[in-house]
Every structure is written in C-alpha cells, then in structure tokens.
Amino acid sequence: MSNNFSKMRTLVVEPQSIDASSYAGRTTRTLIDELTDRSIEIISATSYEDAKAVIMATQIDSLVLTLDKSEEQILQSNDEIDLLTSLQDRQPEVPVFLLAERERTSILANRKLMERVDECYSVLEDTADFVAGRIVAAMKRYREQVLPPLMKAMMQYNDVHEYSWSAPGHQGGIGFTKTPAGNQFYQFYGENLFRSDMGIERASLGSLLDHTGAFKDSETEAAKIFGAHQSYSGIVGTSGSNRTIMQACLKDDDIAIIDRNCHKSIEQGLILTGARPVYMTPSRNCYGIIGPISKSTMAAASIEQRIAEGKLTKDFAGKSPRYAVVTNCTYDGMCYNSEHAESLLSESSNRIHMDEAWFGYARFNPIYKGHFAMRGDASDHQGPTVFATHSTHKLLNALSQASYIHVRNGEDAIDFDRFNQAYMMHTSTSPLYAICASNDVAANMMKGQSGLSLTSEVIREAVIFRQNVRKLFNDYTTDGDWFFKPWNAEIVTETNGEKVKFEDASVESLMTVQDNWKLHPGDQWHGFDHVDDNWCMLDPIKVSLLTPGLDDKGQFLDKGVPAALVSAYLGRFGIVPTRTTDFQVMFLFSMGITKGKRDTLVNTLLSFKRHYDANASLETILPELVESAPEVYKGLGLRDLGDRMFQYLVRHNPAQVLNEAYSSLPEIELKPRTAYQHIVAGDVEMVASDKLEGRVAAHSVIPYPPGIPMLMGGENFGSENSAQIKYLKALEAWDDEFPGFEHETEGAEKEGGKYHVLCIKESAL
C-alpha cells in the first residue's frame, strides 16, 4: 500500500530549554537526520503550544518527545500529559516515542505520562539508527490500521495497477489524456481519482448494492459509530436516502404523517409511493425563522382529527399511518427533544423518520444530548422502528452526494431484503467509489474522541463569534448606534448556576450547558408566541444574525438595514451566507472553520457598517450591481439603497405574507402523485400570477429562503387574496424595483414581469 500513501510525518517536540549542544540535543538532531534519510517528513516544535497547534491542524504519523527534565520535574509536570491528551483527542492511536536519559525513563517517575507513551528510549544507550527503525515500523503499522475498511480496500486494490477491459471507459484516466481538454481535466483532479474509479466487476471490493465485502464492513462500522442497527451508505444525497425510506415504508393510499417544513425529496417520496399525506405545520417568528411543531400538533388526537377531516384522508380514517417524518434539526437550527417527539409520534405510527440532513454530528457532542434520533445504545432500543438520514457532505466531511441511512429496528421493522429493494431503486449500479470512500472516512473521523474534539472545536468557534458580535452590538447601541445582533438567548446559566449575560458567560458554559440553548416559554429572544417547555433547542453552530428593522413584536422600526444588501456586500468579498431573509443573515459553522475565517467575517461585517454609515458610492462598493442596472443604481450610495429597500419592505411586508402562506395549509385537491401524473399526461399549463385564483398547482412552489414548499402539487392557490398569490405578486414588485436582488422561487418562472406556475388544466380536474 505504500505507493498510495502520502509521505509519512513525524512531529518532533524539542523544547527550547534543551541545549542544542548537549548530548540529548545532538542525539535528537541525529535521529532527525536518520528519519529524513528514510523519507520521513519532519515537523519540529520548540514548545508544547506549538506542538498542540500542529496536532490540531496537521496529520502526523508519530510524535517524538524529547524530555530533558529532572526526576522531580517529571513527577510534577503536566505539560506532557496535556499535549498527549490533545493528541489522543484529535489523532488517536498515533504512536508516541519518548527520548530521555536512562535513569529518567522509569515508569515510576510519572505513571500517567508513561501510560500515554508507546516506546521510551535512552539517548545514552540506544542508537539513532535503531530508534529511527522502530519509529518507522510503528508508523507503518499505524498507517495500516488507521484507515476505515472501504478506503483501505480501495487503496490496496489501486496498488494492483490493473489492465482493465471493462468500464469505465477512461481506463484509470488514460482516456482523458488524449485531448487537451481531457488532459487538463485529468491533471486538475489527479491520477488517484481516476485510478479508483472502478466498475462493479471488481468483486474483491464487494458490492455497494448487495452490501458485501468492504462495503459491508464499512456500513457495519458506520452503524457502530452512529449507534444504529444497520447503516446504508448513500451516493445520491439525502434526497435519495429520504426517498428510499419512504419507498420501503409506504404503498399507494397509505397514510403518511408529514412535517410541512420538509425537503422537496419528501414530496417526491409521496409522488413515488402514492401515499396520502396529513401535515404537521410548524411555527414561525417575525423574522421568518421556522420554529418547532407543537407537541399538541404531534399528538395522536390531533393527527386523528386531521385524518378524519382531510379531503385526501377522511375516507381512510380507519387506517393507521404507516410512516411519519420530522425535519430535525431544521435549516434554522431548531432541534427537537427527539425522545419526546418519538414517543408522541409512536402513538400514531410504528415507523418514524427523522430527516437529520444537517445534523449528522449530533451524536458526538453532549450539548445535543437527547435531541437526535440514534440516541444511546442501539441494543437498548424499544418501540417504533426509527430511521435517520444524514447528509454527510453537508456538515460532516464527505464529498457531495454522500449520505447515510441509519436504522433502529423496532415495531413494523423492514427486513434487509425488502429494504434493499427500495435502496437499489435509488442507487446507481455504477457508483463513484470516491463518494463511497468519503462516507467511509467521514464516519471514521467521528469515531472515539475525535468526534468530540472536532465538534467541540466548531461549537467553540461559533460561541466565540456570537459573543464577539454581541459585544459589538452592545458597544454600538450604548452609543445610540446600530450593529448586528446574534439570535440566541440573552441571559444564560454559568457552570456554577449563576445567571449572566450571554456575552459575559464563559465559553465552557455555552459549550456544555444545554439549557442555554433551549427555547423556553415566555422568553422574548426567540420570538415564538407559544413554545412547549423542554421541547426544542437551538443548534449553536447555526448562527443567525439579525439586522435592524423590527422590534421584539415584529413591528417595523423607523429605520432598518435590509439583510439582502448585507449579503450582497459580503458576496463581494467571497463570503457567502447560507440564508438571507428580510432582516436575517445566517451562517453555518462547520468542521472547515478556522479562526481566520471567523475573524474575517467579523471584520467584513464591521466594514459593511462603516461603508453603510458613510453612504459609500455603490459604484465603488458594488460596481457589478451598478453595471447590471445603471438606470436604477447609478449615483446611489449604499445607505440610499438600503433606505429604498427598507421602505419597500414596510409597504409590502413580504415576510409577513410568507408567514401567512406557511402558517395555514392550502386546500388539498389531489394527491401529489395524482398531480404529477397530470404532468406526465400533459394536462398542464403555465398560469400567470394574476390568473392563479382557484387553480391547482401541478408541482410544488418553493421560495428560497427557506427552501421548503409553500404549495405542494395538487394544492389549490385559493382566492386572489390568498397569501400564496400575494407573495408571488410581492416578489414581482421587488424584482422590478431591485434588479440583481431577485429571489429564487423553484416551481415558478418569470415571464413578461409576472411569475407563472405550472397548473393542472381545469378541464382535466
């Protein structure tokens, strides 16, 4: 396997207190030379803090610690133990070597230190050649065992350097090298991507579709890591994973309990299965942030009532729902108390699906305890069968399209062969093995202490960012000025139980006290009128910043700073928020976070404020915008445009219209599957926004943000004053007034200044 490995690295820690001319210092230099001669890359650190920084940022294959302390110093020092604890947290199993004088290597000197050291050598007795040989051998053993099953098998197979006479046709990338464009493509991605792109004939690796060989080993390991009975690696994103679960659980005319705050793949699952939905509607606040579904809405009595009253379900009221799905956590970071949610939903259905596309890391940090699907030990599970889907490519470390399905078998469990029939319908027979391997690695990275270390680092950076922004908000508003405000609790609990301001709390308390992130009834900060106690928490790493414009009651202030303008400014500097509403800008903190990235965001927000307050010319600040529509923007300043936008929002209040569109369900005329069949039959037509009264949508209409259906296929737009029609008309006015700031609305196309939606012909209904 050596041909496929990157160059091995050794971190040598030699504190500055060690005299380079001493015997210990000279011996260390000789050892470094021996390792270099063996093609080992050396990283040197002259302090324990430097060494910790290397461990956090760089993969190493061994650590060599030079110790030149007296017996008493060794007994009293914790520096080495702290360093090795950091190594264990971030890179477990890395072999550690201690160099010391002979009489100071006794395990009696510092037992805790020696427990963390693999081998200990005397600089007075052991030769550098011998020690280097031992280190290299240990590094090779470490490399052999550190890789997860599928990645290891792929690298071993790649070392064969086969002559293949089967697909794929590029044959390890050689086919690409035969034209200039193809060769550039090959050079851009590198040889190993193409060498590891193999067809399903490679039986030695096993089969993704049959879940055998290295693929089976990988999924078995993932199930252990994520706390499932079975895990299935997906290569078509969580969209495909969601559809797989639904197709395994549902058949035509089964009743499905659906979180209305759902991804479009859930509607696609309804289309594929022909199930009849009964919807649970979540709450929303004045900023358009989607809150939790209430406990009463999730309760069996409420679901029974809606089944009995629903146009699509009333004739099937005697049937028990076969499936229920909840989005957890939501795009805005709302995380349910999953134990309570599971208990409530299990009164209605024996199969519960938690779409945790944005929440795959929750199991690995105690701040999320009790708020994710695969809680505790799988062997202790009782009750309904529970599914969880994770987009490993979103907030874990995998390639795009990578996903996992995790299953805990309970009541109404689906056996492997039946479930795999649905799985194979949504999985390519020619998978890109690199996606599969990235899933394998993403799971492995969360194994043991490294999962806690990685998630803690992300949470820490998000907490520090929130506190920094809040302190700036306080400083500016004390002077009668404005700044962005982080959306989170304003009074929190310290680790000792003391109540303090959020910005004054210790980082440790905000990383460990879960109650600091719970939405409590009556709290003003979250803006939800009715929240159940101990029901929902905010994910610390999903950071929403609020811009001025609304008071705590959702009423407009005299002046405001539209979030769309903030996002446009940030984009000019290569900073892309994940969501922007009228007065909310949202950022996802992920495992790719760095302190520099965090601080640059703060600096850029300050820069925006400076230019906004100075009413800097748009031709200087946003030249591309002015160039795209000079008749609208030429001669304006940044604040001039902000004022115009704010006045528009006050006049039209599109956020309130959208809230109304989401808070009440449109009348359902047809199953989503039936509506789709009209599309296939061609019984559809494009209808302008001013002609939508009483028309039935052929497919869903999905405004971005928030990226969830405002209207599903088969639902009626209602009267001309319906919130759904009013919202589309409000968007038309916004687009006309502010070109370059158009909203994306999937399922609606703009022609001649009006939005058009594909509707079912009235003659076909």
Side-chain angles (χ1 to χ4, degrees):
M1 290 174 61
S2 59
N3 290 341
N4 285 302
F5 280 129
S6 59
K7 194 171 185 178
M8 292 192 290
R9 296 190 186 100
T10 292
L11 170 60
V12 179
V13 185
E14 189 178 14
Q16 290 178 325
S17 58
I18 295 178
D19 185 352
S21 64
S22 67
Y23 190 82
R26 296 197 307 274
T27 302
T28 303
R29 298 270 75 74
T30 304
L31 176 60
I32 289 174
D33 292 341
E34 288 286 348
L35 290 171
T36 302
D37 289 343
R38 288 168 166 82
S39 299
I40 304 301
E41 179 183 345
I42 303 297
I43 303 175
S44 297
T46 56
S47 72
Y48 292 132
E49 286 304 311
D50 285 347
K52 285 182 182 180
V54 171
I55 289 167
M56 298 298 285
T58 307
Q59 176 208 333
I60 62 172
D61 300 287
S62 68
L63 185 148
V64 175
L65 178 60
T66 302
L67 197 62
D68 188 24
K69 292 183 175 181
S70 67
E71 201 83 18
E72 182 179 357
Q73 288 174 323
I74 293 173
L75 284 169
Q76 295 178 352
S77 176
N78 288 316
D79 293 339
E80 294 80 14
I81 294 173
D82 289 344
L83 173 64
L84 298 183
T85 299
S86 297
L87 178 65
Q88 177 64 27
D89 288 346
R90 180 52 65 89
Q91 300 186 50
E93 309 303 328
V94 167
V96 177
F97 300 87
L98 182 64
L99 301 183
E101 292 182 18
R102 179 178 52 195
E103 64 270 26
R104 293 173 185 163
T105 63
S106 171
I107 196 169
L108 298 177
N110 190 326
R111 181 174 60 84
K112 290 183 178 180
L113 172 61
M114 292 303 165
E115 286 174 347
R116 290 166 169 79
V117 172
D118 292 274
E119 298 186 21
C120 189
Y121 297 102
S122 167
V123 299
L124 300 177
E125 291 183 339
D126 299 300
T127 67
D129 176 74
F130 174 79
V131 175
R134 295 286 299 176
I135 292 173
V136 171
M139 292 165 71
K140 289 180 177 178
R141 290 194 299 271
Y142 168 70
R143 278 286 183 104
E144 288 284 344
Q145 60 88 30
V146 74
L147 286 171
L150 180 58
M151 188 67 208
K152 183 176 182 179
M154 284 180 58
M155 294 177 74
Q156 289 174 331
Y157 188 85
N158 197 35
D159 233 11
V160 173
H161 293 87
E162 67 176 10
Y163 268 128
S164 170
W165 294 89
S166 60
H170 62 71
Q171 295 293 289
I174 298 303
F176 287 112
T177 65
K178 296 185 177 182
T179 71
N183 189 59
Q184 288 294 309
F185 180 70
Y186 177 84
Q187 295 295 332
F188 181 80
Y189 283 105
E191 180 177 355
N192 273 338
L193 173 64
F194 302 104
R195 290 292 179 192
S196 61
D197 183 20
M198 299 170 275
I200 58 174
E201 300 85 0
R202 280 66 168 182
S204 61
L205 291 176
S207 166
L208 174 66
L209 294 175
D210 295 334
H211 309 277
T212 58
F215 290 96
K216 178 182 179 180
D217 294 341
S218 174
E219 291 178 333
T220 299
E221 182 70 8
K224 293 177 183 176
I225 293 169
F226 286 96
H229 287 138
Q230 289 98 32
S231 291
Y232 298 83
S233 182
I235 60 166
V236 287
T238 299
S239 296
S241 293
N242 287 343
R243 294 191 297 264
T244 296
I245 293 171
M246 296 181 74
Q247 196 133 32
C249 290
L250 294 164
K251 62 183 188 304
D252 203 27
D253 290 333
D254 278 347
I255 296 176
I257 304 167
I258 306 294
D259 183 348
R260 189 68 182 200
N261 178 20
C262 65
H263 187 259
K264 62 185 177 182
S265 59
I266 300 299
E267 185 196 20
Q268 292 164 356
L270 293 172
I271 292 170
L272 288 170
T273 62
R276 294 176 177 267
V278 55
Y279 294 111
M280 301 180 292
T281 305
S283 53
R284 293 172 68 88
N285 70 9
C286 63
Y287 288 98
I289 295 172
I290 302 168
I293 301 165
S294 67
K295 287 183 178 180
S296 60
T297 300
M298 233 179 248
S302 175
I303 290 172
E304 287 174 8
Q305 181 179 353
R306 273 174 285 134
I307 292 172
E309 295 174 352
K311 185 172 181 178
L312 293 185
T313 55
K314 61 184 179 181
D315 293 337
F316 297 81
K319 296 180 67 173
S320 296
R322 301 291 292 163
Y323 163 91
V325 61
V326 175
T327 303
N328 186 54
C329 75
T330 70
Y331 197 71
D332 292 290
M334 301 292 101
C335 315
Y336 289 95
N337 184 318
S338 56
E339 184 176 358
H340 292 175
E342 182 183 307
S343 177
L344 278 173
L345 288 172
S346 67
E347 296 175 5
S348 300
S349 176
N350 291 330
R351 294 172 182 159
I352 298 170
H353 171 194
M354 291 196 176
D355 182 353
E356 297 183 341
W358 298 87
F359 207 35
Y361 48 85
R363 179 177 172 84
F364 308 101
N365 199 287
I367 195 70
Y368 303 110
K369 182 180 179 181
H371 287 73
F372 54 93
M374 300 288 121
R375 306 176 306 278
D377 193 321
S379 63
D380 297 330
H381 178 70
Q382 295 179 344
T385 292
V386 178
F387 303 92
T389 45
H390 291 159
S391 285
T392 43
H393 66 94
K394 284 188 168 74
L395 289 171
L396 293 177
N397 297 293
L399 296 177
S400 291
Q401 296 182 212
S403 175
Y404 269 120
I405 300 171
H406 304 295
V407 187
R408 279 195 177 171
N409 294 315
E411 298 166 12
D412 260 355
I414 303 169
D415 64 47
F416 168 81
D417 291 328
R418 289 164 56 206
F419 190 86
N420 203 45
Q421 289 298 311
Y423 176 87
M424 288 191 292
M425 287 186 185
H426 298 277
T427 302
S428 172
T429 56
S430 301
L432 180 64
Y433 283 16
I435 298 177
C436 305
S438 76
N439 240 358
D440 192 40
V441 171
N444 181 266
M445 289 181 69
M446 307 310 291
K447 188 177 180 180
Q449 286 296 111
S450 59
L452 175 60
S453 174
L454 289 167
T455 54
S456 294
E457 182 179 350
V458 181
I459 294 169
R460 177 181 295 277
E461 296 305 323
V463 163
I464 292 172
F465 174 78
R466 287 176 182 270
Q467 289 188 307
N468 286 342
V469 173
R470 181 68 203 208
K471 288 173 182 177
L472 288 167
F473 173 84
N474 291 347
D475 290 345
Y476 281 112
T477 54
T478 298
D479 296 335
D481 206 342
W482 72 272
F483 198 63
F484 306 93
K485 181 170 74 169
W487 187 66
N488 49 246
E490 299 184 2
I491 301 297
V492 295
T493 305
E494 263 293 351
T495 51
N496 62 4
E498 181 184 356
K499 296 292 185 180
V500 297
K501 293 181 179 179
F502 179 88
E503 59 272 24
D504 296 331
S506 66
V507 173
E508 180 187 4
S509 68
L510 296 175
M511 291 179 63
T512 58
V513 180
Q514 187 185 79
D515 192 67
N516 289 331
W517 301 99
K518 287 185 178 179
L519 277 65
H520 297 294
D523 283 356
Q524 294 297 309
W525 70 266
H526 55 67
F528 297 111
D529 294 334
H530 304 288
V531 173
D532 295 299
D533 194 27
N534 193 26
W535 180 236
C536 183
M537 67 173 283
L538 171 63
D539 186 348
I541 74 169
K542 295 178 172 68
V543 181
S544 287
L545 299 184
L546 305 180
T547 66
L550 298 176
D551 64 18
D552 289 340
K553 302 295 184 181
Q555 301 299 311
F556 286 103
L557 302 174
D558 293 335
K559 293 211 175 268
V561 180
L565 198 54
V566 179
S567 288
Y569 181 88
L570 294 175
R572 177 106 168 99
F573 297 93
I575 297 173
V576 183
T578 190
R579 183 182 179 192
T580 305
T581 62
D582 292 349
F583 299 103
Q584 173 209 17
V585 186
M586 184 178 172
F587 304 91
L588 293 177
F589 279 62
S590 67
M591 292 181 196
I593 190 65
T594 64
K595 291 178 175 59
K597 182 178 179 181
R598 178 200 71 198
D599 293 344
T600 297
L601 177 54
V602 175
N603 293 340
T604 311
L605 292 171
L606 287 164
S607 175
F608 172 84
K609 175 179 169 48
R610 184 173 68 254
H611 286 111
Y612 191 87
D613 291 345
N615 199 25
S617 168
L618 289 179
E619 292 165 79
T620 301
I621 301 302
L622 297 173
E624 294 87 353
L625 179 67
V626 177
E627 186 178 343
S628 69
E631 71 283 0
V632 178
Y633 300 118
K634 193 171 181 62
L636 289 181
L638 193 61
R639 192 178 65 245
D640 294 332
L641 179 55
D643 288 344
R644 283 192 185 183
M645 287 181 164
F646 181 71
Q647 291 161 10
Y648 172 93
L649 296 174
V650 172
R651 289 196 312 271
H652 295 277
N653 202 356
Q656 179 59 34
V657 176
L658 190 59
N659 273 1
E660 292 172 4
Y662 280 115
S663 62
S664 60
L665 294 175
E667 185 177 352
I668 303 174
E669 302 284 357
L670 304 170
K671 290 193 301 182
R673 182 178 196 169
T674 306
Y676 182 78
Q677 288 170 340
H678 282 292
I679 297 176
V680 175
D683 296 329
V684 291
E685 59 187 352
M686 297 298 291
V687 179
S689 60
D690 58 353
K691 305 292 184 183
L692 284 173
E693 180 181 1
R695 297 304 300 265
V696 177
H699 52 48
S700 56
V701 179
I702 309 175
Y704 287 83
I708 65 172
M710 177 177 73
L711 205 81
M712 294 275 202
E715 293 180 344
N716 198 309
F717 271 95
S719 73
E720 64 178 350
N721 292 319
S722 74
Q724 289 79 14
I725 295 176
K726 286 168 63 178
Y727 181 71
L728 291 176
K729 290 181 177 180
L731 287 187
E732 291 169 357
W734 171 274
D735 293 350
D736 290 341
E737 194 159 342
F738 304 108
F741 291 91
E742 294 85 358
H743 293 73
E744 179 185 353
T745 304
E746 185 176 327
E749 298 179 11
K750 197 173 184 185
E751 297 177 7
K754 292 183 179 180
Y755 278 102
H756 291 66
V757 177
L758 191 67
C759 295
I760 300 169
K761 292 179 180 178
E762 292 179 311
S763 60
L765 293 171

